[in-house]
């Protein structure tokens, strides 16, 4: 018996010596996907024996039985940290909450629907060991997404990167490995509105990319509809660029100059040829066109004013009901 104690102590020391990797898994109505998720993780993670894994499951205010299923599936596990948010705050906030709670030396956000294959984690860890602080996973093949989604995603990256100050690498989702220093930097960012792709890109650090194949959803349906995605894209551009705001000055100057020129021409024409019957159509077009431009400009200002207003309230991005750590 006595010789067992040092052996156990040595084992514990060994366990402690292993690097800790936290997987952050946001979940919103993922009840159907949970079973496959855990069995797939259990098929992959134990093989990576050099690391100790922590599964940070963030329940983002699910309205189905996700939370109950989570409790049920994780009751016997020792590697789970369960974060229950007070309501649905959206994937961005759920990720932020997970990053905040995660204790690993590196953190990997991963979708609950297994669209980010856990098999890729091995490759990420290898790059991390080479000294990279961020390992991006790029979707080499988006054939599991619909044509419309692929087209809109491509347009989003193109427009965002043309306009915004911080470039977002195309076809890279939230699935990536980030070192503890990067996680700390992200946790320290004060903004309440969190466009994670942009924040990830903004913090920088030594980055490399690996390529993977994005699988179709394991179960259930996508939680993002077209309207949500549009708002997401707008959020991305508006929180990382003021170009949409600035561009109106130039458009305004260009239109004012053109209008002045046109006015001069009309005055000249009237002096030389006298008054003719001006067309109402051209007048109406000019008025409506300018009115439209002004409304867009005001809307743009509203977008930013709204953001400034929301930030000024200093509300947190999410609220946690409770954190349950099965590993003490
Ligand atoms: N998700 C979330 N809160 C939300 C919407 C989605 O936590 O309000 C999670 C969802 O459970 C999944 C991940 O974010 O784990 C990606 O969502 P989904 O698969 O629906 O998005 P898609 O892959 O279609 O872009
Ligand atoms: Mg998905």
């Amino acid at each position: 018996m006595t010789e067992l104690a040092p052996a156990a102590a040595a084992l514990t020391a060994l366990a402690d010596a292993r690097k800790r990797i936290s997987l952050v898994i946001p979940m919103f109505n993922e009840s159907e996907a949970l079973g496959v998720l855990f069995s797939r993780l259990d098929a992959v993670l134990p093989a990576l024996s050099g690391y100790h894994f922590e599964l940070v499951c963030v329940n983002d205010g699910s309205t189905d039985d996700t939370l109950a299923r989570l409790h049920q599936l994780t009751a016997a596990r020792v590697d789970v940290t369960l974060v229950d948010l007070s309501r649905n705050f959206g994937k961005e906030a759920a990720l932020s909450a997970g990053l905040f709670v995660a204790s690993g030396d590196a953190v990997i956000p991963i979708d609950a629907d297994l669209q980010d294959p856990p098999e890729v984690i091995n490759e990420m860890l290898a790059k991390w060991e080479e000294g990279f602080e961020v390992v991006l996973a790029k979707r080499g093949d988006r054939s599991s997404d619909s044509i419309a989604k692929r087209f809109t995603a491509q347009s989003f990256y193109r427009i965002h990167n043309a306009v915004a100050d911080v470039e977002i690498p195309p076809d890279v989702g939230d699935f990536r490995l980030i070192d503890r220093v990067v996680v700390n930097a992200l946790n320290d960012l004060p903004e309440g509105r969190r466009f994670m792709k942009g924040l990830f890109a903004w913090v920088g650090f030594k980055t490399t990319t690996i390529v993977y194949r994005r699988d179709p959803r394991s179960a259930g349906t996508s939680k993002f509809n077209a309207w949500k995605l549009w708002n997401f894209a707008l959020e991305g551009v508006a929180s990382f660029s003021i170009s949409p705001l600035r561009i109106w000055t130039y458009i305004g100057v260009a239109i004012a100059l053109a209008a002045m020129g046109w006015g001069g021409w009309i005055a000249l024409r009237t002096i030389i040829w006298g008054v003719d019957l001006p067309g109402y159509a051209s007048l109406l077009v000019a008025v409506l066109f300018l009115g439209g431009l002004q409304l867009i400009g005001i809307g743009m200002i509203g977008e930013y004013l709204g953001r400034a207003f929301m930030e000024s309230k200093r509300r947190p991005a999410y609220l946690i009901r409770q954190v349950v750590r099965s590993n003490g």
Side-chain angles (χ1 to χ4, degrees):
M1 278 309 270
T2 40
E3 61 266 31
L4 267 182
L11 257 181
T12 319
L14 195 69
D16 286 347
R18 291 187 304 171
K19 289 181 183 162
R20 254 177 103 82
I21 310 295
S22 303
L23 303 191
V24 171
I25 320 171
M27 299 169 180
F28 175 58
N29 295 348
E30 295 287 6
S31 174
E32 292 164 63
L34 289 184
V36 243
L37 171 69
F38 285 111
S39 51
R40 180 87 166 268
L41 288 177
D42 283 339
V44 174
L45 300 185
L48 307 169
S49 54
Y51 303 93
H52 176 83
F53 286 94
E54 173 197 32
L55 309 180
V56 182
C57 303
V58 185
N59 175 38
D60 184 18
S62 298
T63 49
D64 66 356
D65 61 342
T66 297
L67 187 64
R69 283 278 287 158
L70 257 180
H71 278 302
Q72 186 192 336
L73 283 166
T74 62
R77 302 183 71 105
V78 292
D79 57 351
V80 169
T81 301
L82 210 159
V83 183
D84 188 23
L85 300 187
S86 65
R87 64 169 170 86
N88 178 249
F89 283 96
K91 186 186 178 190
E92 308 299 300
L95 268 184
S96 302
L99 283 183
F100 192 74
V101 171
S103 62
D105 300 308
V107 176
I108 303 176
I110 180 169
D111 283 358
D113 57 6
L114 289 172
Q115 284 200 278
D116 310 324
E119 288 74 13
V120 180
I121 292 174
N122 191 8
E123 240 176 291
M124 288 180 167
L125 289 171
K127 289 286 181 194
W128 181 49
E129 296 292 357
E130 280 175 29
F132 289 102
E133 291 152 323
V134 178
V135 184
L136 305 177
K138 189 178 161 76
R139 301 164 191 182
D141 172 9
R142 291 193 73 132
S143 56
S144 64
D145 286 333
S146 68
I147 293 172
K149 180 144 186 186
R150 262 181 284 168
F151 174 75
T152 46
Q154 200 188 356
S155 317
F156 164 72
Y157 289 121
R158 198 171 300 145
I159 294 171
H160 181 100
N161 288 342
V163 156
D165 313 325
V166 182
E167 202 153 305
I168 294 182
D171 291 334
V172 171
D174 297 319
F175 187 39
R176 60 184 65 201
L177 179 144
I178 40 187
D179 187 88
R180 174 48 51 187
V181 279
V182 186
V183 177
N184 288 345
L186 285 168
N187 288 343
D188 284 344
L189 292 179
E191 47 250 85
R193 298 179 72 103
R194 293 186 158 255
F195 178 68
M196 291 311 276
K197 276 185 197 203
L199 294 180
F200 280 147
W202 184 85
V203 292
F205 290 97
K206 241 178 101 183
T207 304
T208 186
T209 308
I210 58 171
V211 177
Y212 77 105
R213 225 194 96 94
R214 189 153 171 88
D215 294 330
R217 210 170 214 290
S218 67
T221 52
S222 174
K223 313 294 177 252
F224 288 91
N225 56 30
W227 181 240
K228 250 184 163 178
L229 281 174
W230 162 252
N231 279 314
F232 184 66
L234 198 64
E235 180 75 42
V237 174
S239 38
F240 280 88
S241 162
I242 56 165
S243 314
L245 206 50
R246 207 181 277 150
I247 196 174
W248 295 102
T249 319
Y250 298 103
I251 293 181
V253 167
I255 289 178
L257 284 179
M260 252 164 66
W262 195 42
W265 160 242
I266 288 174
L268 201 69
R269 205 176 53 172
T270 314
I271 293 167
I272 299 174
W273 290 292
V275 186
D276 62 4
L277 275 177
Y280 279 106
S282 59
L283 201 69
L284 208 61
V285 165
V287 168
L288 289 180
F289 177 67
L290 278 180
L293 275 190
Q294 282 168 344
L295 284 181
I296 297 173
I298 292 174
M300 221 59 236
I301 295 170
E303 282 290 326
Y304 287 91
L305 196 66
R307 273 176 181 73
F309 172 63
M310 297 298 274
E311 283 299 339
S312 72
K313 287 188 282 198
R314 306 213 142 267
R315 273 190 204 140
Y318 54 84
L319 284 180
I320 296 179
R321 178 176 293 118
Q322 65 165 347
V323 178
V324 185
R325 286 178 205 273
S326 64
N327 45 2

